[in-house]
Amino acid sequence: MKDIAKKSNTEYLLNKYHLKASKKFGQNFLIDLNTIKKIVEKTPIDNQTCVIEIGPGIGALTEQLAQKAGKVICFEIDTRLKDVLDESLSEYHNVDIIFQDFLTVDLKKIVEECGYQKVCIVANLPYYITSDIIEYIIVSQAPLYSIHAMVQKEVAQKLTDENYTSPLTLMIKSVGNISLDMNISKNVFEPVPHVDSAIISIYLQNQYNPLLTQILKKSFTQKRKTIYNNLKELFNENTNDILLKCDIDIKKRPEQLTVNDYLKLTKYL
Ligand code: SAM
């Protein structure tokens, strides 16, 4: 089908297959072709790129990605969408759809074996697991070029705010740069969600250091306590010494440390 995102086409497909958007799977389908075209235009995708899409839904974004990319590999959790996707994307022979929870996918293996040097992730993410998915992608150490994700506007603002620090923002900073590319009105979705959305892009430059997860988990156990108190359990009587060697003030709170501070600390694990 051409232009799946047109309201009439989306309605036709949902009616034909008796589909109701599932709340459980965070389904809000994009129903504005121009918005989808703008999103795809802003990505660095060409015919030498493999795109991994998380949650194709009924294929509205997938269709536009397939027109630009060499290959599109989609992971969709909702098996009810199989028949509709078979129809909506039947003309696109460069699209593979795998019905699997993305959070169980061996992403590194998929990326390394897809046959493309340049691999980007593009997704209109289900809101209920946005952070889990971004963390999963980063921690996977998959050699990706970039990630382009639609998330709640508030989440996008937090993730890109220089003054906001969380374990996830530190993980992102450790691998590359994040930016907020464009805001998206809630009115271009069906059903209409409660809040507006935004697209964030992360361009990856460094491989993820898996020890960072351990350090961050311990450091943010109690956000209001000092870094010394949080790390005491991990480094015992050496805590003071290690913080000193890393040039970190023991009285600082976990959100006051930089990503480089945390990377220095991983050397003492
Ligand atoms: N891409 C479509 C669009 O833009 O219209 C649908 C986006 S909708 C917000 C999120 C999609 O992610 C749904 O199709 C949902 O079934 C799927 N999904 C939710 N959780 C998932 C998971 N853990 N793994 C893979 N897909 C998931």
Side-chain angles (χ1 to χ4, degrees):
M1 178 183 277
K2 280 267 171 304
D3 300 342
I4 300 165
K6 266 189 170 167
K7 198 164 190 230
S8 54
N9 287 342
T10 302
E11 276 168 4
Y12 161 81
L13 287 169
L14 293 178
N15 286 337
K16 178 168 174 189
Y17 294 95
H18 308 292
L19 283 169
K20 274 221 160 106
S22 153
K23 268 197 183 165
K24 184 172 81 170
F25 293 138
Q27 290 174 354
N28 296 95
F29 301 119
L30 274 165
I31 50 158
D32 186 75
L33 195 57
N34 282 336
T35 303
I36 298 181
K37 287 193 172 184
K38 264 194 230 158
I39 295 169
V40 175
E41 245 168 50
K42 279 189 177 277
T43 62
I45 297 166
D46 55 26
N47 61 6
Q48 299 299 308
T49 309
C50 173
V51 174
I52 295 179
E53 188 192 5
I54 305 156
I58 62 168
L61 178 59
T62 322
E63 176 194 22
Q64 301 302 319
L65 293 169
Q67 289 174 12
K68 219 179 161 194
K71 183 175 178 178
V72 184
I73 304 173
C74 306
F75 291 96
E76 174 55 66
I77 199 169
D78 187 355
T79 50
R80 293 179 317 149
L81 298 171
K82 187 171 184 324
D83 292 344
V84 65
L85 284 165
D86 278 348
E87 174 173 342
S88 65
L89 297 174
S90 60
E91 336 171 5
Y92 297 98
H93 302 294
N94 58 345
V95 178
D96 286 346
I97 298 181
I98 301 165
F99 286 90
Q100 186 180 343
D101 179 348
F102 181 75
L103 294 175
T104 65
V105 169
D106 185 344
L107 186 62
K108 190 163 191 262
K109 189 162 176 255
I110 296 280
V111 173
E112 284 172 350
E113 294 177 1
C114 74
Y116 284 75
Q117 287 278 324
K118 185 175 172 191
V119 184
C120 301
I121 292 194
V122 181
N124 170 11
L125 287 180
Y127 293 155
Y128 73 110
I129 43 168
T130 300
S131 303
D132 292 350
I133 289 185
I134 298 174
E135 179 175 336
Y136 190 78
I137 297 169
I138 290 172
V139 170
S140 76
Q141 293 187 305
L144 292 162
Y145 184 82
S146 57
I147 304 165
H148 310 275
M150 169 127 58
V151 302
Q152 286 188 4
K153 192 170 159 187
E154 245 179 57
V155 174
Q157 283 167 340
K158 266 192 180 174
L159 291 180
T160 53
D161 180 351
E162 272 303 314
N163 299 315
Y164 174 80
T165 302
S166 70
L168 184 57
T169 63
L170 290 160
M171 283 180 182
I172 294 170
K173 279 198 180 122
S174 78
V175 293
N177 294 323
I178 184 167
S179 58
L180 195 159
D181 293 346
M182 61 192 273
N183 292 323
I184 312 261
S185 158
K186 61 185 177 188
N187 297 318
V188 300
F189 298 93
E190 174 63 39
V192 180
H194 297 299
V195 290
D196 289 327
S197 293
I199 304 276
I200 52 158
S201 287
I202 302 171
Y203 284 86
L204 289 104
Q205 285 147 355
N206 313 310
Q207 209 194 27
Y208 185 68
N209 176 347
L211 296 174
L212 193 59
T213 308
Q214 204 184 329
I215 282 283
L216 290 173
K217 208 168 167 208
K218 278 285 175 218
S219 301
F220 281 80
T221 310
Q222 289 181 285
K223 257 179 76 176
R224 288 173 201 287
K225 285 203 170 175
T226 61
I227 190 70
Y228 174 84
N229 277 319
N230 277 312
L231 288 181
K232 216 167 45 181
E233 203 186 301
L234 187 66
F235 294 133
N236 306 314
E237 69 279 3
N238 299 325
T239 312
N240 211 345
D241 229 27
I242 292 175
L243 287 167
L244 200 70
K245 279 189 190 140
C246 294
D247 215 8
I248 298 167
D249 179 349
I250 61 165
K251 292 196 209 95
K252 278 192 171 169
R253 294 192 199 292
E255 73 263 23
Q256 292 178 299
L257 271 62
T258 66
V259 66
N260 282 335
D261 291 333
Y262 284 110
L263 287 170
K264 277 192 252 167
L265 284 168
T266 60
K267 296 193 184 118
Y268 294 90
L269 279 176

